[in-house]
Amino acid sequence: MTATLLGPDFLALQVRDVEAAAAFCEKHLGLRRAPASPPGAVVFATEPVAFAVREPLPGVELDGAARPGLGVALWFRTTDAQELHDQLSAAGVTILSPPQDTPFGRAFTFAGPEGYALTAHGS
């Protein structure tokens, strides 16, 4: 039998400033750090897939990127998309697309750490 992929098991954003990106995730998104993280990264206790911010891998140059992650759609589940939108907006976080109803519930996109476009969806 041929080995196959089972699905995403770990997601990480490569960032220039790991601590600033981690602080954004904690302050604005309510994420909590996992008990352990490898050097150069902060892993969060997210489910069902672990999420982290980390130093860039060798050969990754973020300074020249117009927008990091261009072409990748990264969606996070939330308990209340509208409430999260309102909290982020009030905190001055850039909203890239306003809340709208989608097949996956209410959703909106915002600028996360270092300008990554992140979508939150839920009830």
Side-chain angles (χ1 to χ4, degrees), residues 15-58:
V15 296
R16 292 181 279 287
D17 188 335
V18 172
E19 282 305 317
F24 177 96
C25 292
E26 291 172 310
K27 177 181 178 182
H28 296 295
L29 307 180
L31 299 182
R32 300 290 169 243
R33 293 179 189 225
S37 294
V42 172
V43 178
F44 297 99
T46 56
E47 293 183 10
V49 176
F51 171 73
V53 290
R54 61 157 297 137
E55 294 173 346
L57 293 167

